[in-house]
């Protein structure tokens, strides 16, 4: 009996390292690829965006924005901006191939042509299939693990990577990056959805650090976006 027990102990000691070696952790690069694949299947989402210091577009200081997106190209974005000391809320709606803007909530909408629409931030670009933030995910360089953190009650793996201006400029328009930025992704361990994206670096000023931080939620929930009546 003692000999048999000893043999079992020895066998367990020998097999334990082998079993451990057979368990391979997913690399940060693979996690980002999995997130890109999961986000490609998202049809609707909502976003809450905040901006760091120096966030200025067309003379307006960007404070924050909320938006809802419905693929392939519908979105409704409401911003909070400061102008002449006042806080106003412009709204940009894209639906049916047309884009409408009102500079403040008490003003009527005006239709914009495509050239004019690109001058305004839009939540729709987050999920744009060809040029959005999620489409750019696999282009990051030197992805690295940065621990775990909960986002809205969901346990996420944090991954950092470096992105070039060409990777993100289309998604961030009208913001134009001039050099590389650091991007942190919060990837849901369960669904692989990207629940938060933080872009940090010389975003608004080539000589000053700032950030854009977006929290994504309500994936694939019903969304209705209609043209202004």
């Amino acid at each position: 009996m003692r000999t048999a027990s000893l043999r079992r102990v020895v066998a367990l000691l020998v097999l334990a390292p082998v079993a451990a070696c057979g368990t391979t952790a997913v690399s940060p690069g693979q996690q980002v690829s999995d997130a890109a694949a999961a986000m490609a299947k998202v049809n609707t989402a909502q976003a809450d965006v905040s901006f760091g210091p120096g966030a200025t577009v067309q003379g307006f200081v960007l404070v924050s924005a909320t938006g809802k997106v419905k693929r392939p190209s519908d979105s409704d974005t409401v911003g909070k901006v400061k102008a002449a000391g006042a806080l106003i809320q412009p709204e940009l709606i894209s639906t049916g191939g047309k884009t409408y803007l009102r500079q403040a909530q008490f003003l009527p909408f005006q239709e914009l042509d495509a050239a004019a629409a690109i001058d305004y931030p839009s939540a729709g670009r987050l999920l744009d299939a060809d040029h959005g933030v999620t489409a750019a995910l696999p282009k990051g360089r030197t992805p690295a693990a940065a621990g775990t953190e909960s986002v809205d009650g969901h346990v996420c793996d944090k991954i950092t990577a470096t992105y070039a201006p060409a990777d993100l400029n289309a998604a961030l328009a009208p913001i134009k990056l001039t050099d590389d930025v650091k991007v942190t992704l919060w990837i849901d361990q369960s669904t692989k959805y990207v629940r938060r994206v933080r872009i940090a670096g010389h975003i608004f000023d080539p000589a000053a650090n700032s950030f854009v931080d977006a929290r994504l939620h309500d994936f694939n929930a019903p969304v209705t976006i209609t043209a202004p009546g």
Side-chain angles (χ1 to χ4, degrees), residues 14-229:
V14 171
L15 291 175
V18 175
C21 291
T23 303
T24 304
V26 178
S27 69
Q30 185 60 52
Q31 286 181 292
V32 174
S33 295
D34 291 344
M39 294 300 294
K41 298 176 182 178
V42 170
N43 292 315
T44 66
Q46 297 190 40
D48 302 314
V49 185
S50 58
F51 302 92
T56 302
V57 172
Q58 295 194 9
F60 295 100
V61 177
L62 304 177
V63 178
S64 64
T66 59
K68 52 186 179 180
V69 183
K70 183 178 181 180
R71 276 180 166 155
S73 58
D74 287 7
S75 64
D76 186 349
T77 307
V78 179
K80 288 186 178 180
V81 304
K82 289 182 179 179
L87 187 66
I88 60 176
Q89 293 182 281
E91 182 173 5
L92 190 74
I93 294 177
S94 295
T95 185
K98 297 182 179 181
T99 300
Y100 308 87
L101 170 73
R102 60 178 174 183
Q103 297 282 1
Q105 292 296 304
F106 57 83
L107 295 176
F109 280 95
Q110 295 181 327
E111 185 176 344
L112 303 177
D113 59 31
I118 199 68
D119 289 334
Y120 297 90
S122 170
R125 298 187 188 114
L126 289 171
L127 297 184
D128 184 275
D130 298 317
H131 306 293
V133 170
T134 55
L137 289 178
K139 300 178 182 179
R141 307 193 307 275
T142 61
T148 61
E149 188 174 338
S150 179
V151 177
D152 298 328
H154 302 271
V155 179
C156 298
D157 291 318
K158 290 176 65 177
I159 305 294
T160 63
T162 300
Y163 288 77
D167 300 330
L168 296 175
N169 273 343
L172 296 177
I175 299 167
K176 291 292 185 182
L177 302 177
T178 57
D179 55 14
D180 289 353
V181 291
K182 178 181 178 180
V183 175
T184 304
L185 306 168
W186 282 256
I187 300 173
D188 190 314
Q189 290 184 346
S190 176
T191 63
K192 308 306 178 186
Y193 292 153
V194 176
R195 294 198 172 270
R196 183 180 173 190
V197 181
R198 185 180 178 90
I199 304 169
H202 298 157
I203 299 175
F204 308 104
D205 184 336
N209 288 322
S210 191
F211 66 85
V212 175
D213 197 313
R215 287 176 178 261
L216 304 173
H217 54 92
D218 289 294
F219 295 101
N220 293 322
V223 166
T224 299
I225 299 173
T226 58

